[in-house]
Amino acid sequence: MLKTAYGDVAAQSNTVDSTYAKVTWRLVPFLFLCYVFAYLDRVNVGFAKLQMLADLKFSETIYGLGAGIFFIGYFIFEVPSNIALHRFGARKWIARIMLSWGLLSGAMIFVKTPTTFYILRFFLGVAEAGFFPGIILYLTYWFPSSRRAKITAMFMTGIPIAGVVGGPLSGWILNQFNGVSGMPGWQWLFLIEAIPSIIGGIVVLLYLDDGIRSAKWLNEEEKVVLEKGLTSESGHIEVHSASGAFTNSRVWVLCACYFGIIMGLYGIGFWLPTLIKASGVTDAFDVGLLTMIPYGAAAVAMVMLGRSSDKSKERRWHVAIPAILGAAGLVASTLVPHDVTLAVVSLTFATIGILGALCQFWSIPPAFLGGAAAATGIALINSVGNLAGFVSPYLVGWIKDVTHSTDMGLYCVAISLIAAAAIVLTMPKRVVNR
């Protein structure tokens, strides 16, 4: 009898694990690919900058403002977009987001003046608003909190992989297409890298399902397993209503924490090619190859952190320690400005820390937000935090114009990361460690 009971438990456990593995392989690689396209279209302006500023006679301040104004549009439309996704379904809404941002990213070839640069970057932010928090919300429809840190980390490796793939690709496009058909390389960069997003948006309509019940690739037993997994954690959810997300103090604490982390993310995202070039690398393709190192190391570290976080059920220090490492790496990079090897090593530690903190952060909000509150709260945190995407590149660009150095700007970014580490540690363990 005991053997039979043990066998039943083992069989049930195998069914659960195989079901989640099936869902993971069905959803995560595709969502990861979509995020690669999204992040590439968001930050390829950092590579375009290597030619664009000289061609258009833009200052570093103009570039910083244009790079950052994306996040103003993103901020304004983030919460409405996520609520729309929750109401109308992920499949149609994510497809709409990808198609519109792909078309606008391609339209960057028409930039001639600072005004057109600002306008297109703003509307690119409007178009992409809701994509990232929408995917984070979408993952809560399938995975319980006990499995979510690793899954989120796997999805978010799209950021470093966009760097691994996008760096050499962007450098190659700038070199090989410069002057083809009378167009400079930076215009070809925007045009070519917009195509995957447009194709991806069409594929989303054919491939994604809105939730467990609409997934024809799952049998009834597998659907029940997934639904039980989500039901089992519902008792931990403290906030369910959309209005509750706005009035919950913990949501605003996380907004402040995320702001500090995003300061670091776009300090790296928009300035990494410039920092590597400043260390003595002049060829655009070589700059692209060297950006693979920090991003490749970060991709591995993110998955390892996710596994560690899920295994230990510890969330706060898995955000705080990487954030501090990211700050240390940024500061170290300013101490070796003309040594390519040491600059890449320090920027690698910075990238590992920043992206590690970023992916682990998103295991925290769904631990106490559910339903409409999750849709609203996740979008609110992401939109407020991403205002740092406006502040960070503009601040570093302005400081560089004034001081002719990025050092002071990077120090400001490092301080923001340390503040984020301190803020996340104020969250109660009983709330977030699940």
Side-chain angles (χ1 to χ4, degrees):
M1 183 74 175
L2 192 58
K3 265 189 186 178
T4 305
Y6 178 79
D8 289 345
V9 171
Q12 186 177 16
S13 178
N14 288 336
T15 300
V16 171
D17 289 341
S18 65
T19 299
Y20 280 111
K22 184 176 182 178
V23 175
T24 299
W25 282 107
R26 169 78 185 191
L27 297 181
V28 175
F30 178 68
L31 295 175
F32 155 85
L33 196 61
C34 291
Y35 196 35
V36 170
F37 299 157
Y39 197 75
L40 194 60
D41 283 344
R42 185 186 300 185
V43 301
N44 58 7
V45 70
F47 270 94
K49 170 182 183 285
L50 300 177
Q51 292 180 354
M52 188 179 183
L53 265 63
D55 276 1
L56 300 179
K57 306 296 188 293
F58 286 178
S59 69
E60 295 284 352
T61 303
I62 290 172
Y63 165 74
L65 179 58
I69 206 168
F70 168 99
F71 296 96
I72 302 299
Y74 194 86
F75 169 78
I76 294 170
F77 288 91
E78 184 85 323
V79 173
S81 181
N82 229 34
I83 292 173
L85 183 147
H86 185 63
R87 178 174 297 178
F88 300 119
R91 185 176 63 89
K92 291 179 181 178
W93 200 252
I94 292 172
R96 192 282 305 163
I97 291 172
M98 292 188 68
L99 287 168
S100 58
W101 99 53
L103 292 170
L104 281 162
S105 183
M108 288 289 291
I109 66 171
F110 299 113
V111 169
K112 299 294 183 187
T113 66
T115 301
T116 54
F117 183 42
Y118 300 152
I119 290 171
L120 281 172
R121 287 291 295 178
F122 174 83
F123 281 105
L124 185 63
V126 171
E128 197 185 316
F131 176 76
F132 174 77
I135 299 299
I136 296 297
L137 176 65
Y138 185 64
L139 292 174
T140 70
Y141 297 167
W142 302 87
F143 298 96
S145 59
S146 59
R147 296 175 181 266
R148 210 173 288 141
K150 183 179 76 173
I151 295 299
T152 302
M154 291 169 67
F155 161 63
M156 291 186 66
T157 54
I159 295 176
I161 296 303
V164 170
V165 175
L169 176 63
S170 298
W172 180 77
I173 292 170
L174 288 176
N175 279 353
Q176 297 300 314
F177 284 79
N178 193 29
V180 174
S181 299
M183 286 170 54
W186 63 267
Q187 288 183 327
W188 281 109
L189 176 66
F190 286 123
L191 185 62
I192 292 170
E193 292 187 353
I195 294 170
S197 296
I198 296 170
I199 295 173
I202 297 169
V203 175
V204 164
L205 288 170
L206 305 173
Y207 188 80
L208 278 193
D209 299 284
D210 288 327
I212 294 169
R213 277 292 137 193
S214 60
K216 295 178 180 177
W217 44 274
L218 292 171
N219 61 41
E220 185 60 28
E221 182 184 10
E222 290 167 334
K223 291 179 181 180
V224 170
V225 166
L226 295 173
E227 288 168 343
K228 281 184 177 178
L230 297 177
T231 303
S232 67
E233 70 172 4
S234 60
H236 300 299
I237 302 301
E238 297 182 359
V239 188
H240 292 271
S241 69
S243 60
F246 284 101
T247 57
N248 188 280
S249 61
R250 290 181 184 132
V251 170
W252 292 101
V253 168
L254 291 179
C255 286
C257 175
Y258 196 56
F259 186 94
I261 296 172
I262 294 296
M263 284 287 289
L265 176 65
Y266 290 109
I268 286 290
F270 287 124
W271 292 97
L272 184 59
T274 300
L275 295 171
I276 290 176
K277 183 178 179 181
S279 70
V281 182
T282 55
D283 185 84
F285 182 65
D286 291 338
V287 171
L289 287 176
L290 286 172
T291 61
M292 292 175 65
I293 298 172
Y295 284 123
V300 175
M302 288 166 74
V303 176
M304 292 174 64
L305 271 170
R307 288 176 178 168
S308 171
S309 181
D310 277 346
K311 185 176 180 180
S312 64
K313 300 293 188 290
E314 199 292 316
R315 309 301 188 189
R316 302 183 309 160
W317 286 103
H318 279 79
V319 175
I321 291 174
I324 294 168
L325 175 65
L330 287 177
V331 172
S333 72
T334 68
L335 305 177
V336 287
H338 305 298
D339 187 310
V340 176
T341 301
L342 292 178
V344 170
V345 169
S346 58
L347 289 169
T348 297
F349 280 108
T351 307
I352 287 172
I354 292 165
L355 292 180
L358 179 72
C359 72
Q360 290 312 298
F361 174 88
W362 285 109
S363 65
I364 295 176
F368 65 95
L369 297 172
T376 305
I378 290 170
L380 179 63
I381 292 166
N382 195 57
S383 62
V384 172
N386 268 289
L387 284 176
F390 171 77
V391 175
S392 182
Y394 179 67
L395 178 68
V396 176
W398 177 77
I399 289 174
K400 186 176 181 184
D401 273 343
V402 172
T403 66
H404 305 291
S405 170
T406 57
D407 289 1
M408 287 303 297
L410 293 178
Y411 296 153
C412 292
V413 172
I415 290 169
S416 299
L417 286 165
I418 293 170
I423 290 168
V424 77
L425 293 175
T426 67
M427 293 291 291
K429 286 192 290 185
R430 64 175 180 80
V431 173
V432 300
N433 287 352
R434 290 174 181 154

Coordinates of all heavy atoms in Angstrom, one line a residue, residues 74-87 93 129-130 132-138 140-141 237 239-248 250-252 254-255 258 361-362 365-366 368-386:
Y74 N 6.3 56.0 -23.4 CA 6.2 54.7 -22.7 C 5.5 54.8 -21.4 O 4.6 54.0 -21.0 CB 7.6 54.1 -22.5 CG 7.8 52.7 -22.1 CD1 7.8 51.7 -23.1 CD2 7.9 52.3 -20.8 CE1 8.0 50.4 -22.8 CE2 8.1 50.9 -20.5 CZ 8.1 50.0 -21.5 OH 8.3 48.7 -21.2
F75 N 5.9 55.8 -20.6 CA 5.3 56.1 -19.3 C 3.8 56.4 -19.4 O 3.0 55.8 -18.6 CB 6.0 57.2 -18.6 CG 5.4 57.7 -17.3 CD1 5.5 57.0 -16.1 CD2 4.6 58.9 -17.3 CE1 4.9 57.5 -15.0 CE2 4.0 59.4 -16.2 CZ 4.1 58.6 -15.0
I76 N 3.4 57.2 -20.3 CA 2.0 57.7 -20.4 C 1.1 56.6 -20.7 O 0.0 56.5 -20.2 CB 1.9 58.8 -21.4 CG1 2.7 60.1 -20.9 CG2 0.5 59.2 -21.7 CD1 2.8 61.2 -22.0
F77 N 1.5 55.7 -21.6 CA 0.6 54.6 -22.1 C 0.8 53.3 -21.6 O 0.1 52.3 -21.9 CB 0.7 54.6 -23.7 CG 0.1 55.8 -24.4 CD1 0.9 56.9 -24.6 CD2 -1.2 55.8 -24.7 CE1 0.3 58.0 -25.2 CE2 -1.8 56.9 -25.3 CZ -1.0 58.0 -25.6
E78 N 1.7 53.1 -20.6 CA 2.0 51.8 -20.0 C 0.9 51.1 -19.3 O 0.5 50.0 -19.6 CB 3.2 51.9 -19.1 CG 3.7 50.6 -18.5 CD 4.7 50.0 -19.5 OE1 4.5 50.1 -20.7 OE2 5.7 49.3 -19.0
V79 N 0.3 51.8 -18.4 CA -0.8 51.3 -17.6 C -2.0 51.0 -18.4 O -2.6 49.9 -18.4 CB -1.2 52.2 -16.4 CG1 -2.4 51.7 -15.7 CG2 0.0 52.2 -15.4
P80 N -2.5 52.0 -19.3 CA -3.6 51.7 -20.2 C -3.4 50.5 -21.1 O -4.3 49.7 -21.3 CB -3.8 53.0 -21.0 CG -3.2 54.0 -20.1 CD -2.1 53.4 -19.4
S81 N -2.2 50.3 -21.5 CA -1.9 49.2 -22.4 C -2.0 47.9 -21.7 O -2.5 46.9 -22.3 CB -0.4 49.4 -23.0 OG -0.1 48.3 -23.9
N82 N -1.5 47.8 -20.5 CA -1.5 46.5 -19.8 C -3.0 46.2 -19.4 O -3.4 45.0 -19.4 CB -0.7 46.6 -18.5 CG 0.2 45.4 -18.4 OD1 0.7 44.9 -19.4 ND2 0.5 44.9 -17.2
I83 N -3.8 47.2 -19.0 CA -5.2 47.0 -18.7 C -5.9 46.4 -20.0 O -6.7 45.5 -19.9 CB -5.8 48.2 -18.2 CG1 -5.3 48.6 -16.8 CG2 -7.3 48.1 -18.1 CD1 -5.7 49.9 -16.3
A84 N -5.5 47.0 -21.1 CA -6.1 46.6 -22.4 C -5.8 45.1 -22.7 O -6.6 44.3 -23.2 CB -5.7 47.5 -23.6
L85 N -4.5 44.8 -22.4 CA -4.1 43.4 -22.6 C -4.9 42.4 -21.7 O -5.3 41.4 -22.2 CB -2.6 43.2 -22.3 CG -2.0 41.9 -22.6 CD1 -0.5 42.0 -23.1 CD2 -2.0 41.0 -21.3
H86 N -5.1 42.8 -20.5 CA -5.8 42.0 -19.5 C -7.3 41.8 -20.0 O -7.9 40.8 -19.8 CB -5.7 42.6 -18.1 CG -6.4 41.8 -17.0 ND1 -5.9 40.6 -16.7 CD2 -7.4 42.1 -16.2 CE1 -6.6 40.1 -15.7 NE2 -7.6 41.0 -15.4
R87 N -7.8 42.9 -20.6 CA -9.2 42.9 -21.0 C -9.4 42.2 -22.3 O -10.4 41.4 -22.5 CB -9.8 44.3 -21.0 CG -11.2 44.4 -21.5 CD -11.7 45.8 -21.3 NE -11.7 46.3 -19.9 CZ -12.1 47.5 -19.6 NH1 -12.4 48.4 -20.5 NH2 -12.1 47.9 -18.3
W93 N -3.2 41.9 -28.5 CA -2.6 43.1 -28.0 C -1.1 43.1 -28.2 O -0.5 44.1 -28.6 CB -3.0 43.4 -26.6 CG -2.8 44.8 -26.2 CD1 -1.8 45.3 -25.4 CD2 -3.5 45.9 -26.6 NE1 -1.9 46.7 -25.3 CE2 -3.0 47.1 -26.1 CE3 -4.6 46.0 -27.5 CZ2 -3.5 48.3 -26.3 CZ3 -5.2 47.3 -27.7 CH2 -4.6 48.4 -27.1
A129 N 4.8 50.6 -25.4 CA 4.2 50.6 -24.0 C 3.4 49.4 -23.8 O 2.5 49.1 -24.6 CB 3.4 51.9 -23.8
G130 N 3.6 48.7 -22.7 CA 2.8 47.5 -22.4 C 3.4 46.2 -22.8 O 2.9 45.1 -22.3
F132 N 6.6 44.8 -22.3 CA 7.3 44.0 -21.2 C 6.4 43.7 -20.0 O 6.4 42.5 -19.6 CB 8.6 44.8 -20.8 CG 9.2 44.2 -19.6 CD1 10.0 43.1 -19.8 CD2 9.1 44.7 -18.3 CE1 10.7 42.5 -18.7 CE2 9.7 44.1 -17.2 CZ 10.5 43.0 -17.4
P133 N 5.7 44.7 -19.5 CA 4.8 44.3 -18.3 C 3.7 43.4 -18.8 O 3.2 42.5 -18.0 CB 4.3 45.6 -17.8 CG 4.4 46.5 -19.0 CD 5.6 46.1 -19.7
G134 N 3.3 43.5 -20.1 CA 2.3 42.6 -20.6 C 2.8 41.1 -20.6 O 2.1 40.2 -20.2
I135 N 4.1 40.9 -20.9 CA 4.6 39.6 -20.9 C 4.8 39.1 -19.5 O 4.5 37.9 -19.2 CB 6.0 39.5 -21.7 CG1 5.8 39.9 -23.1 CG2 6.6 38.1 -21.6 CD1 4.9 39.0 -23.9
I136 N 5.2 39.9 -18.6 CA 5.4 39.6 -17.2 C 4.0 39.1 -16.6 O 3.8 38.1 -15.9 CB 5.9 40.7 -16.3 CG1 7.4 41.0 -16.8 CG2 5.9 40.4 -14.8 CD1 8.4 39.9 -16.5
L137 N 3.0 39.9 -17.0 CA 1.6 39.5 -16.6 C 1.2 38.2 -17.2 O 0.6 37.4 -16.6 CB 0.6 40.7 -17.0 CG -0.9 40.4 -16.7 CD1 -1.1 40.3 -15.3 CD2 -1.7 41.5 -17.4
Y138 N 1.5 38.1 -18.5 CA 1.1 36.9 -19.2 C 1.7 35.6 -18.6 O 1.1 34.6 -18.5 CB 1.6 37.0 -20.7 CG 1.2 35.9 -21.6 CD1 -0.2 35.7 -21.9 CD2 2.1 35.1 -22.2 CE1 -0.6 34.6 -22.8 CE2 1.7 34.1 -23.1 CZ 0.4 33.9 -23.4 OH 0.0 32.9 -24.2
T140 N 2.2 35.1 -15.5 CA 1.4 34.8 -14.3 C 0.2 34.0 -14.6 O -0.4 33.4 -13.7 CB 1.1 36.1 -13.5 OG1 0.1 36.8 -14.2 CG2 2.3 37.0 -13.2
Y141 N -0.2 34.0 -15.9 CA -1.4 33.2 -16.3 C -1.0 31.7 -16.4 O -2.0 30.9 -16.5 CB -1.9 33.7 -17.7 CG -2.4 35.1 -17.7 CD1 -2.7 35.7 -19.0 CD2 -2.7 35.8 -16.6 CE1 -3.2 37.0 -19.1 CE2 -3.2 37.1 -16.7 CZ -3.4 37.7 -17.9 OH -3.9 39.0 -18.0
I237 N -2.1 36.2 -2.2 CA -2.3 37.5 -2.9 C -3.0 38.5 -2.0 O -4.1 38.2 -1.5 CB -3.1 37.3 -4.2 CG1 -2.4 36.3 -5.2 CG2 -3.3 38.6 -4.9 CD1 -1.0 36.7 -5.6
V239 N -3.5 41.9 -2.9 CA -4.2 43.0 -3.6 C -4.7 42.4 -4.9 O -4.0 41.8 -5.7 CB -3.3 44.2 -3.9 CG1 -4.1 45.4 -4.5 CG2 -2.5 44.6 -2.7
H240 N -6.0 42.6 -5.2 CA -6.7 42.1 -6.4 C -7.2 43.2 -7.3 O -7.3 43.0 -8.5 CB -7.8 41.1 -6.0 CG -7.3 39.9 -5.3 ND1 -7.0 38.8 -6.1 CD2 -7.2 39.6 -4.0 CE1 -6.6 37.8 -5.2 NE2 -6.7 38.3 -4.0
S241 N -7.6 44.3 -6.8 CA -8.3 45.3 -7.6 C -7.3 46.3 -8.2 O -6.2 46.5 -7.7 CB -9.3 46.1 -6.7 OG -8.6 46.9 -5.8
A242 N -7.7 46.9 -9.4 CA -6.8 47.8 -10.1 C -6.6 49.0 -9.2 O -5.4 49.5 -9.1 CB -7.5 48.2 -11.4
S243 N -7.6 49.5 -8.5 CA -7.4 50.7 -7.6 C -6.5 50.4 -6.5 O -5.7 51.2 -6.0 CB -8.8 51.2 -7.1 OG -9.4 50.2 -6.4
G244 N -6.6 49.1 -6.0 CA -5.7 48.7 -4.9 C -4.2 48.8 -5.2 O -3.4 49.1 -4.3
A245 N -3.9 48.6 -6.5 CA -2.5 48.7 -6.9 C -2.0 50.1 -6.7 O -0.8 50.4 -6.4 CB -2.3 48.2 -8.3
F246 N -2.8 51.1 -7.0 CA -2.4 52.5 -6.9 C -2.2 53.0 -5.4 O -1.4 53.9 -5.1 CB -3.4 53.4 -7.6 CG -3.3 53.4 -9.1 CD1 -4.2 52.7 -9.8 CD2 -2.3 54.1 -9.7 CE1 -4.1 52.6 -11.2 CE2 -2.2 54.1 -11.1 CZ -3.1 53.4 -11.9
T247 N -3.0 52.4 -4.5 CA -3.0 52.8 -3.1 C -2.1 51.9 -2.2 O -1.9 52.3 -1.1 CB -4.4 52.8 -2.6 OG1 -5.0 51.5 -2.7 CG2 -5.3 53.8 -3.3
N248 N -1.5 50.9 -2.8 CA -0.7 50.0 -2.0 C 0.7 50.6 -1.9 O 1.4 50.8 -2.9 CB -0.6 48.6 -2.6 CG 0.1 47.6 -1.7 OD1 1.3 47.6 -1.7 ND2 -0.7 46.8 -1.0
R250 N 3.5 49.3 -0.9 CA 4.6 48.5 -1.4 C 4.8 48.6 -2.9 O 5.9 48.5 -3.4 CB 4.3 47.0 -1.1 CG 4.4 46.7 0.4 CD 4.2 45.3 0.8 NE 4.2 45.1 2.2 CZ 3.2 44.5 2.9 NH1 2.2 43.9 2.3 NH2 3.3 44.4 4.2
V251 N 3.7 48.9 -3.6 CA 3.9 49.1 -5.1 C 4.8 50.3 -5.3 O 5.7 50.3 -6.2 CB 2.5 49.3 -5.7 CG1 2.6 49.8 -7.2 CG2 1.7 48.0 -5.7
W252 N 4.6 51.4 -4.6 CA 5.3 52.6 -4.8 C 6.8 52.4 -4.3 O 7.7 53.0 -4.9 CB 4.7 53.8 -4.1 CG 3.4 54.1 -4.7 CD1 2.1 53.8 -4.3 CD2 3.2 54.8 -6.0 NE1 1.2 54.3 -5.2 CE2 1.8 54.9 -6.3 CE3 4.1 55.4 -6.9 CZ2 1.3 55.5 -7.4 CZ3 3.6 56.0 -8.0 CH2 2.2 56.1 -8.3
L254 N 8.4 49.6 -4.6 CA 9.0 48.9 -5.8 C 9.2 49.8 -7.0 O 10.2 49.6 -7.7 CB 8.1 47.7 -6.1 CG 8.1 46.6 -5.1 CD1 7.2 45.5 -5.6 CD2 9.5 46.0 -4.9
C255 N 8.4 50.8 -7.2 CA 8.6 51.8 -8.2 C 9.9 52.5 -8.0 O 10.7 52.7 -9.0 CB 7.5 52.9 -8.2 SG 5.9 52.3 -8.9
Y258 N 12.8 50.1 -8.7 CA 13.0 49.8 -10.1 C 13.6 50.9 -10.9 O 14.3 50.8 -11.8 CB 11.6 49.4 -10.7 CG 11.7 48.7 -12.0 CD1 12.5 47.5 -12.2 CD2 11.0 49.2 -13.1 CE1 12.5 46.9 -13.4 CE2 11.1 48.5 -14.4 CZ 11.8 47.4 -14.5 OH 11.9 46.7 -15.7
F361 N 14.2 41.2 -9.8 CA 13.2 42.1 -9.3 C 11.8 41.7 -9.7 O 10.8 41.8 -8.8 CB 13.4 43.5 -9.9 CG 12.4 44.5 -9.6 CD1 12.5 45.3 -8.4 CD2 11.3 44.7 -10.4 CE1 11.5 46.2 -8.1 CE2 10.3 45.6 -10.1 CZ 10.4 46.4 -8.9
W362 N 11.6 41.1 -10.9 CA 10.2 40.8 -11.3 C 9.6 39.6 -10.7 O 8.5 39.2 -11.1 CB 10.2 40.8 -12.9 CG 10.2 42.2 -13.4 CD1 11.2 42.8 -14.1 CD2 9.2 43.2 -13.3 NE1 10.9 44.1 -14.4 CE2 9.7 44.4 -13.9 CE3 7.9 43.2 -12.7 CZ2 8.9 45.5 -13.9 CZ3 7.2 44.4 -12.7 CH2 7.7 45.5 -13.3
P365 N 6.8 41.6 -7.5 CA 5.4 42.1 -7.5 C 4.3 41.1 -7.6 O 3.3 41.2 -6.9 CB 5.5 43.0 -8.8 CG 6.9 43.4 -9.0 CD 7.7 42.2 -8.5
P366 N 4.5 40.0 -8.4 CA 3.4 39.0 -8.5 C 3.2 38.2 -7.2 O 2.2 37.5 -7.0 CB 3.8 38.1 -9.6 CG 4.8 38.9 -10.4 CD 5.5 39.7 -9.4
F368 N 2.5 39.5 -4.3 CA 1.4 40.0 -3.5 C 0.3 40.7 -4.4 O -0.6 41.3 -3.8 CB 1.9 41.0 -2.4 CG 2.6 42.2 -3.0 CD1 1.9 43.4 -3.1 CD2 3.9 42.2 -3.3 CE1 2.5 44.5 -3.6 CE2 4.6 43.3 -3.8 CZ 3.9 44.5 -3.9
L369 N 0.5 40.7 -5.7 CA -0.5 41.3 -6.6 C -1.2 40.2 -7.4 O -0.5 39.4 -8.0 CB 0.1 42.4 -7.5 CG 0.8 43.6 -6.9 CD1 1.6 44.4 -7.9 CD2 -0.3 44.5 -6.2
G370 N -2.5 40.3 -7.6 CA -3.2 39.3 -8.4 C -4.3 40.0 -9.2 O -4.7 41.1 -8.9
G371 N -4.8 39.3 -10.3 CA -5.9 39.8 -11.1 C -5.6 41.1 -11.7 O -4.6 41.4 -12.2
A372 N -6.6 42.0 -11.6 CA -6.5 43.4 -12.2 C -5.4 44.2 -11.5 O -4.8 45.0 -12.1 CB -7.8 44.1 -12.1
A373 N -5.1 43.9 -10.2 CA -4.1 44.6 -9.5 C -2.7 44.2 -10.1 O -1.8 45.1 -10.2 CB -4.1 44.2 -8.0
A374 N -2.6 43.0 -10.5 CA -1.3 42.6 -11.1 C -1.1 43.3 -12.5 O 0.0 43.8 -12.8 CB -1.3 41.1 -11.4
A375 N -2.2 43.4 -13.3 CA -2.1 44.1 -14.6 C -1.7 45.5 -14.3 O -0.9 46.1 -15.0 CB -3.4 44.0 -15.3
T376 N -2.4 46.2 -13.4 CA -2.2 47.6 -13.1 C -0.9 47.8 -12.4 O -0.1 48.7 -12.8 CB -3.3 48.2 -12.3 OG1 -4.6 47.9 -12.9 CG2 -3.2 49.7 -12.1
G377 N -0.6 47.0 -11.3 CA 0.6 47.2 -10.5 C 1.9 47.0 -11.3 O 2.8 47.8 -11.2
I378 N 1.9 45.9 -12.0 CA 3.1 45.6 -12.8 C 3.4 46.7 -13.8 O 4.5 47.2 -14.0 CB 3.0 44.2 -13.5 CG1 3.1 43.1 -12.4 CG2 4.1 44.0 -14.5 CD1 2.7 41.7 -13.0
A379 N 2.3 47.2 -14.5 CA 2.5 48.3 -15.5 C 2.9 49.6 -14.8 O 3.7 50.3 -15.3 CB 1.2 48.5 -16.3
L380 N 2.3 49.8 -13.6 CA 2.7 51.1 -12.9 C 4.1 51.1 -12.5 O 4.9 52.1 -12.7 CB 1.8 51.2 -11.7 CG 2.0 52.4 -10.8 CD1 1.7 53.7 -11.6 CD2 1.1 52.4 -9.5
I381 N 4.6 49.9 -11.9 CA 6.0 49.8 -11.5 C 6.9 50.0 -12.7 O 7.9 50.8 -12.7 CB 6.3 48.5 -10.8 CG1 5.5 48.4 -9.5 CG2 7.8 48.3 -10.6 CD1 5.4 47.0 -8.9
N382 N 6.6 49.3 -13.8 CA 7.4 49.4 -15.0 C 7.4 50.8 -15.6 O 8.5 51.3 -16.1 CB 6.9 48.4 -16.0 CG 8.0 48.1 -17.1 OD1 9.1 47.8 -16.8 ND2 7.6 48.4 -18.4
S383 N 6.3 51.5 -15.6 CA 6.2 52.8 -16.3 C 6.9 53.8 -15.4 O 7.7 54.6 -16.0 CB 4.7 53.2 -16.5 OG 4.0 53.3 -15.3
V384 N 6.7 53.8 -14.1 CA 7.4 54.8 -13.2 C 8.9 54.5 -13.3 O 9.7 55.4 -13.4 CB 6.9 54.8 -11.8 CG1 7.7 55.6 -10.9 CG2 5.4 55.2 -11.8
G385 N 9.3 53.2 -13.1 CA 10.7 52.9 -13.1 C 11.4 53.3 -14.4 O 12.5 53.7 -14.5
N386 N 10.6 53.1 -15.5 CA 11.2 53.4 -16.8 C 11.4 54.9 -17.1 O 12.0 55.2 -18.2 CB 10.5 52.7 -18.0 CG 11.0 51.3 -18.3 OD1 12.1 51.2 -18.8 ND2 10.3 50.3 -17.9

